Amino acid sequence: MAQALDETRLNEFVGKMLGDLGGAMSVPTTRIGIRLGLFDILGKGPATAAQLAAAAGGLHERYVREWCLAQAANGYIDYDPASETFAISPEQAMVFCLEDSPVFLRGAFEMIAAMHEVEARVEECFRNGSGVRWGDHAGCLFCATGAFFRPGYVNNIVPNWIPALDGVESALRKGAKVADVGCGVGFSTLLMAEAYPASSFVGYDFHEPSIEEARRHAAAHGLGDRVRFEVAKAKEIGEGGFDLITMYDCLHDMGDPAGCAAHMHKILAPGGTWMVVEPNAGNSPADNMNPVGRLFYNASTMICVPTSLDQEVGAALGAQAGEARLSEVIRSGGFDRVRRATDGPFNMVLEAR
């Protein structure tokens, strides 16, 4: 028997869809505003569309006005109809203007654009079960990923995550040997190196363009004497004796996370610690039916699962694997102690010994 239509639920669902579609349509206009510096200019003070166009180097005023009205309708900037001026509030600036803000989200728009560009390739993977090699996505996905995660790392690695580990911060202050595996473009590695000058750091990633970018960042920060970056798969790192191994948001992307865990156990020094930072998630999919889970499941469909399935084994844990599954994988590598050291809205930090 056909289920009766509930008009109230229908109207609520259509309202939700209008919000979702508006958000999707905001991605290209937001990216244009970021690249043209329009958010940054508004962050310095209110302006009319004509003033904003002039301050941005002589852009066409009609386009700028329509862009401003679109962003005001998005709720991304404020509009004063009496004076026909546009402005950014302190709260909006936290998202669009302040690079070290914990909620600076410009990188998210670049990630979304990269997901759209790779749509056809991922669709084909649905048919044949293959994957998409990291770095083969259209656009600079690895750059966007680094930009997306950087604010969380700036506000958490040194202030919150490392202090939550048992005895690790004091060891780093005295001098320890650290490997940052899956380091990407090196933001996490360099943040640790700047905070703990007595320690030495090496970042590993299997994606050569990411390592090249990381080396440029290290040179710019003047940290070449204590930080080096090497191209290597996690299971093929030849060096050992590390007092601390860190992995930030990458274990679930690996094709063979269990094999990786075994190798991390092998290259740790006696008494060493493996810190695994992963997207926060409940152990049941039902626990993840929320705004954060929505973001991670969609990103996982387009990026994380295809990346893992392109590799050896292809475990495809996904970005919402949950603490229980991750702990099982870590213990399979020979670690007998795994605990959740701390967490936040977006990440959980697991400590393995």
Side-chain angles (χ1 to χ4, degrees), residues 6 56 72 95 134 148 186 212 220 228 320 326 329:
D6 185 327
V95 172
W134 182 255
F148 174 71
E212 292 172 354
R228 57 188 168 87
Q320 293 286 269
L326 291 166
V329 168

Side-chain angles (χ1 to χ4, degrees), residues 52-106:
L52 182 58
L59 299 179
H60 195 285
E61 187 272 341
R62 184 64 187 90
Y63 277 105
V64 172
R65 174 174 171 76
E66 204 72 1
W67 178 89
C68 286
L69 292 170
Q71 302 316 307
N74 287 336
Y76 296 171
I77 66 176
D78 292 335
Y79 173 50
D80 179 3
S83 62
E84 293 194 340
T85 58
F86 301 89
I88 283 185
S89 70
E91 296 78 20
Q92 292 160 342
M94 292 281 285
V95 172
F96 288 110
C97 301
L98 305 178
E99 291 189 359
D100 288 344
S101 157
V103 291
F104 184 70
L105 293 175
R106 284 190 185 183

Side-chain angles (χ1 to χ4, degrees), residues 64-331:
V64 172
R65 174 174 171 76
E66 204 72 1
W67 178 89
C68 286
L69 292 170
Q71 302 316 307
N74 287 336
Y76 296 171
I77 66 176
D78 292 335
Y79 173 50
D80 179 3
S83 62
E84 293 194 340
T85 58
F86 301 89
I88 283 185
S89 70
E91 296 78 20
Q92 292 160 342
M94 292 281 285
V95 172
F96 288 110
C97 301
L98 305 178
E99 291 189 359
D100 288 344
S101 157
V103 291
F104 184 70
L105 293 175
R106 284 190 185 183
F109 290 90
E110 298 306 315
M111 285 187 67
I112 292 166
M115 288 165 60
H116 280 286
E117 291 182 47
V118 81
E119 179 183 329
R121 296 193 64 179
V122 174
E123 181 179 341
E124 188 58 30
C125 294
F126 273 69
R127 295 188 174 93
N128 59 31
S130 63
V132 179
R133 188 175 303 276
W134 182 255
D136 284 355
H137 291 74
C140 187
L141 176 62
F142 69 93
C143 301
T145 301
F148 174 71
F149 283 120
R150 181 186 174 278
Y153 294 166
V154 167
N155 287 277
N156 286 292
I157 290 178
V158 174
N160 299 315
W161 294 345
I162 287 177
L165 304 175
D166 186 14
V168 169
E169 185 174 41
S170 61
L172 290 172
R173 295 201 182 283
K174 294 174 184 175
K177 183 179 179 181
V178 183
D180 188 14
V181 179
C183 66
V185 296
F187 289 143
S188 53
T189 322
L190 296 174
L191 284 167
M192 293 188 292
E194 287 178 332
Y196 305 109
S199 294
S200 62
F201 297 82
V202 54
Y204 294 100
D205 202 283
F206 76 154
H207 185 233
E208 187 170 356
S210 291
I211 290 297
E212 292 172 354
E213 186 71 12
R215 288 169 177 162
R216 284 192 286 271
H217 288 310
H221 285 75
L223 293 170
D225 58 332
R226 290 188 298 106
V227 183
R228 57 188 168 87
F229 291 98
E230 305 291 345
V231 178
K233 295 180 179 179
K235 294 195 302 181
E236 297 176 1
I237 295 171
E239 192 171 347
F242 294 103
D243 302 298
L244 173 67
I245 297 175
T246 59
M247 280 192 185
Y248 296 101
D249 293 294
C250 64
L251 182 63
H252 67 272
D253 292 317
M254 295 184 179
D256 184 13
C260 171
H263 195 67
M264 296 305 103
H265 189 272
K266 177 181 177 181
I267 64 175
L268 265 178
T273 299
W274 181 22
M275 179 172 75
V276 181
V277 177
E278 280 285 301
N280 209 348
N283 292 321
S284 165
D287 297 330
N288 304 322
M289 298 297 116
N290 53 57
V292 174
R294 179 187 185 189
L295 291 176
F296 282 133
Y297 274 129
N298 279 285
S300 189
T301 302
M302 300 301 293
I303 301 171
C304 308
V305 167
T307 295
S308 179
L309 288 175
D310 176 71
Q311 302 172 57
E312 178 189 12
V313 180
L317 289 178
Q320 293 286 269
E323 181 181 357
R325 180 73 180 105
L326 291 166
S327 296
E328 177 187 338
V329 168
I330 293 168
R331 288 192 178 94

